[in-house]
């Protein structure tokens, strides 16, 4: 029996996606490939100390080899890592990682944006894309774990309807969730 309205239980985007930010930055998004390891490593090396703190919730200044391997070695099914390039310059300017649980009910999202592209709508556009992708794939909840000091990210998430709550076990963190039903 074939279900015509069954959700696509994969996070993969097999083709390039083009998006435009509210400030007019044209983005090209594509899934990460094995050949992107050096570019991804350089991208994260270019983030500020605060950005690294907010993204990894630790004081690290560089990706570990295990973190890099996990970002490159996504299964493109339950875990997808989309790289965002400035269409005008082909520069890697952002990273969008979305990871669904085994039951494909809840997914966590993490976004990093190059310092030169902050306040240009890149993070908002990528989060909005993650919401659309999760909803289209039939996920029920999209979540993000944020440092309470990362007010900018939390404000972006709230504008898209995410609700904040305490994160169990760590008063410095907040859990932001969006019900996709």
């Amino acid at each position: 029996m074939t279900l015509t309205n069954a959700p696509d239980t994969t996070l993969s985007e097999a083709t390039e996606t083009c998006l435009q930010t509210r400030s007019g930055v044209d983005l090209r998004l594509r899934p990460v490939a094995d050949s992107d390891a050096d570019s991804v490593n350089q991208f994260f090396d270019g983030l500020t100390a605060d950005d690294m703190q907010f993204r990894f919730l630790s004081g690290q200044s560089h990706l570990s080899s295990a973190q890099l391997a996990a970002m490159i070695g996504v299964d493109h099914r339950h875990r997808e890592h989309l790289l965002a390039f400035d269409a005008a310059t082909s520069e890697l300017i952002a990273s969008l990682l979305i990871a669904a649980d085994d039951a494909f009910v809840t997914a966590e999202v993490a976004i990093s944006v190059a310092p030169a592209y902050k306040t240009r709508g890149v993070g908002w556009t990528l989060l909005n894309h993650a919401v659309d992708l999760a909803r289209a794939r039939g996920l029920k909840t999209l979540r993000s774990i944020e440092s309470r000091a990362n007010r900018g990210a939390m404000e972006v998430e709230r504008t898209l309807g995410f609700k904040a709550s305490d994160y169990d076990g760590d008063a410095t963190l907040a859990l932001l969730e969006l019900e996709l039903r």
Side-chain angles (χ1 to χ4, degrees):
M1 174 164 104
T2 304
L3 298 174
T4 56
N5 292 331
D8 179 0
T9 55
T10 179
L11 290 170
S12 179
E13 289 191 315
T15 60
E16 185 175 282
T17 301
C18 296
L19 301 171
Q20 187 177 64
T21 71
R22 63 180 176 244
S23 68
V25 177
D26 290 315
L27 304 175
R28 283 186 10 257
L29 270 67
R30 67 165 174 78
V32 70
D34 290 341
S35 60
D36 291 318
D38 287 340
S39 296
V40 169
N41 203 31
Q42 288 174 4
F43 168 76
F44 280 96
D45 277 348
L47 296 182
T48 67
D50 281 346
D51 289 337
M52 288 294 285
Q53 168 71 33
F54 293 151
R55 172 60 179 82
F56 296 102
L57 303 175
S58 73
Q60 71 187 70
S61 58
H62 301 288
L63 290 179
S64 70
S65 56
Q67 288 170 318
L68 180 60
M71 288 183 171
I72 301 298
V74 295
D75 65 9
H76 301 288
R77 185 160 192 79
H78 280 83
R79 287 177 37 100
E80 183 61 270
H81 186 186
L82 299 174
L83 302 179
F85 298 87
D86 182 327
T89 65
S90 298
E91 175 185 2
L92 175 58
I93 62 167
S95 163
L96 164 61
L97 186 66
I98 184 168
D101 61 7
D102 289 340
F104 220 79
V105 173
T106 300
E108 186 173 330
V109 63
I111 296 171
S112 299
V113 178
Y117 285 84
K118 294 220 177 221
T119 72
R120 296 178 66 187
V122 174
W124 187 93
T125 300
L126 292 179
L127 184 58
N128 195 50
H129 182 67
V131 168
D132 290 346
L133 180 63
R135 189 172 278 133
R137 299 310 197 263
L139 289 158
K140 303 295 183 223
T141 305
L142 191 59
R143 66 174 44 152
S144 175
I145 300 168
E146 298 290 352
S147 165
R148 290 189 181 276
N150 194 357
R151 290 183 180 90
M154 290 178 64
E155 183 59 31
V156 167
E157 291 162 345
R158 284 187 180 124
T159 65
L160 289 174
F162 283 72
K163 304 292 183 216
S165 62
D166 292 336
Y167 186 79
D168 284 341
D170 192 335
T172 67
L173 301 178
L175 176 65
L176 287 100
E177 293 184 300
L178 177 66
E179 295 300 321
L180 300 169
R181 299 171 198 198

